[in-house]
Amino acid sequence: MSAPANIRTWVFDLDNTLYPAPALYDEIGVRMTDYIARKLTLATAEAQELRERYFHQYGATVVGLARHHAIEAGDFLRHVHDADHSVLTPDLELRDLIAALPGRRIIYTNGGGGHAQRVLVSLGLDSVFDAVFDIESCGLAPKPQRESYDCFLAASRVEPTEAIFVEDTLRNLEPAHELGFTTALVGSVHPDPKPAYVDHWAVDVKTLLRGLLA
């Protein structure tokens, strides 16, 4: 496995791509449910059901809350992502691998409220990325909506045919591949059969980068 010679930009998802998210996301999930229950005067079970339904329907819970309940998106995103980052520790090997990548390096995430920036600091990766593009950067359009990708490309001036897109979520790679990105899936489960829109697969991001840099 090696990266195509024409790659000029490296685009990374954040959660479950650069780090295993469950330790942090368990708390974020609880904060989401509590926020919804409090704001909409719902029982915990009802709030959790609504949270999950909007996530699957829109790609991000905040979209449904803003659209159907007039929830202020910025307030929701800041509150739910104000989690305990002490569960994260710097990953020096990952930092060195990303620093060795030629060209620009960009985070593209459905998170918001400063979440990406805080996670990068906690992982010791804030110095190796050139930009962060989150759900608030494009009016709450989340991956895998095509509007989100179009907005990302316009804002970042990335040429997809000269970029690689690294994700842990299959459904977010298909639109990227259609736009011309080289795509890479990371995760412990190998898709079988591997979809045509996945160019590379590795068990985790460090294994992927070691192979692409070889």
Side-chain angles (χ1 to χ4, degrees), residues 53-77:
R53 173 152 51 91
Y54 285 159
F55 173 78
H56 292 294
Q57 183 175 354
Y58 295 110
T61 299
V62 66
V63 177
L65 294 175
R67 184 170 299 181
H68 299 294
H69 305 280
I71 293 292
E72 204 280 302
D75 182 66
F76 173 80
L77 292 168

Side-chain angles (χ1 to χ4, degrees), residues 55-97:
F55 173 78
H56 292 294
Q57 183 175 354
Y58 295 110
T61 299
V62 66
V63 177
L65 294 175
R67 184 170 299 181
H68 299 294
H69 305 280
I71 293 292
E72 204 280 302
D75 182 66
F76 173 80
L77 292 168
R78 285 188 298 273
H79 174 80
V80 302
H81 289 111
D82 188 21
D84 178 11
H85 283 68
S86 67
V87 297
L88 304 180
T89 56
D91 191 330
L92 302 184
E93 182 187 4
L94 181 56
R95 184 195 65 190
D96 291 345
L97 286 167

Side-chain angles (χ1 to χ4, degrees), residues 5-214:
N6 68 318
I7 297 300
R8 301 289 181 269
T9 307
W10 303 76
V11 181
F12 291 85
D13 176 51
L14 181 69
D15 305 309
N16 280 325
T17 297
L18 292 185
Y19 74 104
L24 187 62
Y25 250 58
D26 286 349
E27 181 185 351
I28 290 174
V30 170
R31 294 177 71 86
M32 283 187 179
T33 300
D34 289 348
Y35 184 100
I36 294 167
R38 175 166 50 85
K39 287 287 187 178
L40 302 183
T41 318
L42 297 175
T44 298
E46 294 174 308
Q48 183 167 340
E49 186 279 328
L50 192 67
R51 164 192 148 201
E52 293 173 354
R53 173 152 51 91
Y54 285 159
F55 173 78
H56 292 294
Q57 183 175 354
Y58 295 110
T61 299
V62 66
V63 177
L65 294 175
R67 184 170 299 181
H68 299 294
H69 305 280
I71 293 292
E72 204 280 302
D75 182 66
F76 173 80
L77 292 168
R78 285 188 298 273
H79 174 80
V80 302
H81 289 111
D82 188 21
D84 178 11
H85 283 68
S86 67
V87 297
L88 304 180
T89 56
D91 191 330
L92 302 184
E93 182 187 4
L94 181 56
R95 184 195 65 190
D96 291 345
L97 286 167
I98 295 173
L101 299 174
R104 287 194 294 161
R105 308 149 204 146
I106 301 174
I107 293 292
Y108 178 18
T109 174
N110 279 352
H115 171 65
Q117 291 82 354
R118 290 194 294 274
V119 167
L120 291 178
V121 169
S122 298
L123 295 175
L125 302 178
D126 51 308
S127 64
V128 295
F129 282 98
D130 300 294
V132 170
F133 187 93
D134 65 18
I135 195 169
E136 294 180 278
S137 303
C138 196
L140 300 186
K143 298 175 290 184
Q145 293 181 11
R146 179 58 181 266
E147 179 187 352
S148 178
Y149 297 83
D150 290 342
C151 185
F152 168 73
L153 293 175
S156 63
R157 299 189 178 181
V158 167
E159 171 49 58
T161 59
E162 297 178 352
I164 188 167
F165 190 80
V166 184
E167 258 276 2
D168 71 290
T169 304
L170 266 175
R171 68 177 183 174
N172 293 344
L173 288 176
E174 188 168 12
H177 190 270
E178 291 172 354
L179 286 163
F181 282 93
T182 297
T183 57
L185 177 70
V186 294
S188 59
V189 179
H190 187 289
D192 186 20
K194 182 167 71 70
Y197 55 85
V198 175
D199 297 308
H200 301 285
W201 170 83
V203 66
D204 57 44
V205 68
K206 287 189 281 193
T207 302
L208 174 77
L209 296 181
R210 289 189 206 106
L212 293 177
L213 286 166

